Amino acid sequence: MAHSLHASSPAPAPFRSNRPDLATDAIRTAREDLAACFRMAARNGFEEGICNHFSAVVPGHDDLFLVNPYGYAFRELTASKLLICDFHGNVLEGEGVPEATAFYIHAEMHRLLPRAKVAFHTHMPYATALSMIEGEPLIWAGQTALKFYGRTAVDRDYNGLALDSREGARIASAVGDADIVFMKHHGVMVLAPTIAEAWDDLYYLERAAEVQVLAMSTGRKVLPVDPAVAAETYRQMREGDSESARLHLAAIRRQLDAEEPQYRH
């Protein structure tokens, strides 16, 4: 299902007279953090073959982004395997090219939504299942789901594969102020200001979707939380959320350092 970017190449970039410094400590940390997210996503069953993609704007370079190369499963990725691309599809650092839909979706997300420093797109099973059903994806019945209360949007206009920049721009326009986008018949997109916050949201989104699907499978009515209580619980959860996300990412890196340290290479 994945497509090489060579099959439909974007427009050439303007000439760069000076190569940017891509060997800073901040960029190295971003590479390792992103690689850790790929590895842990694989452990949790969030990946689908070689088709899904995570990206992050390169620290200090708002016109460049890190993304996984075409042809690799999440569990294979390491910090040094990640590509640095510009918004024209040129690879400034790394071997290979991004998958075509990864480029066309993520380049437009980062270009058109500057607040979206990080974008994680997956077909993880439970959240994707909720993108396929009638009505709104989340019922707001479980406590974990309330982390996302008022933060979601639904892109209802599925048009097949995103194989040109127009489709990426259309998806970006459907986002609005949301952080979580359920892409009908497709999957989900998580947008965040940091890699840690993107990981935290991705993880808890799938957990919220999983328990909702289990509750729905009983055939009994799923009871939503009172809206006033849901809004207050959301507020409580969001207090200190960025610090909790930082600690969550640190925890998965400690696990990987002990069990799969090659992610850092």
Side-chain angles (χ1 to χ4, degrees):
M1 293 194 296
H3 287 65
S4 170
L5 186 61
H6 290 315
S8 51
S9 297
F15 176 71
R16 283 182 177 271
S17 59
N18 294 300
R19 179 176 174 81
D21 180 8
L22 302 177
T24 67
D25 290 344
I27 294 173
R28 182 64 197 178
T29 297
R31 282 183 171 278
E32 292 183 5
D33 285 346
L34 200 56
C37 292
F38 281 115
R39 291 295 183 105
M40 194 57 72
R43 286 189 175 201
N44 282 281
F46 296 172
E47 66 175 350
E48 186 172 66
I50 59 170
C51 295
N52 297 172
H53 16 89
F54 295 173
S55 65
V57 171
V58 174
H61 303 277
D62 287 344
D63 59 340
L64 304 176
F65 64 101
L66 283 157
V67 68
N68 45 312
Y70 174 61
Y72 288 88
F74 280 11
R75 67 190 67 245
E76 297 181 277
L77 292 169
T78 66
S80 62
K81 283 183 178 176
L82 301 180
L83 307 177
I84 293 181
C85 300
D86 65 18
F87 295 157
H88 302 276
N90 297 294
V91 176
L92 278 70
E93 192 166 278
E95 295 184 7
V97 295
E99 196 270 334
T101 63
F103 171 75
Y104 288 117
I105 293 174
H106 290 252
E108 293 303 289
M109 284 287 171
H110 295 309
R111 185 178 71 84
L112 296 173
L113 300 173
R115 67 181 177 85
K117 299 296 186 186
V118 184
F120 284 6
H121 169 59
T122 75
H123 303 165
M124 54 191 187
Y126 292 100
T128 299
L130 296 184
S131 80
M132 298 162 57
I133 63 174
E134 182 180 11
E136 296 302 307
L138 290 173
I139 298 175
W140 313 118
Q143 176 173 285
T144 301
L146 300 182
K147 174 179 168 63
F148 308 106
Y149 191 74
R151 299 175 60 206
T152 65
V154 180
D155 175 19
R156 303 182 188 279
D157 299 318
Y158 177 70
N159 289 322
L161 300 184
L163 294 177
D164 61 56
S165 59
R166 291 171 299 178
E167 182 63 7
R170 187 200 63 74
I171 295 170
S173 71
V175 171
D177 296 327
D179 301 320
I180 310 299
V181 185
F182 285 87
M183 304 162 77
K184 274 291 185 185
H185 316 292
H186 184 178
V188 291
M189 176 82 73
V190 171
L191 306 175
T194 67
I195 293 171
E197 288 168 276
W199 168 256
D200 199 60
D201 277 351
L202 189 78
Y203 174 83
Y204 285 111
L205 179 64
E206 183 68 346
R207 295 292 289 174
E210 180 179 5
V211 295
Q212 180 175 309
V213 169
L214 289 172
M216 293 168 67
S217 72
T218 67
R220 301 174 66 178
K221 184 177 180 180
V222 180
L223 301 175
V225 175
D226 177 88
V229 175
E232 176 60 17
T233 306
Y234 161 78
R235 185 194 63 78
Q236 292 171 332
M237 286 184 165
R238 291 294 278 171
E239 288 181 355
D241 211 19
S242 61
E243 175 63 6
S244 178
R246 184 189 68 80
L247 294 172
H248 189 181
L249 179 58
I252 72 167
R253 287 199 56 168
R254 286 194 299 273
Q255 293 174 63
L256 292 169
D257 285 342
E259 300 164 9
E260 292 184 60
Q262 63 270 31
Y263 83 93
R264 301 177 62 184
H265 297 164

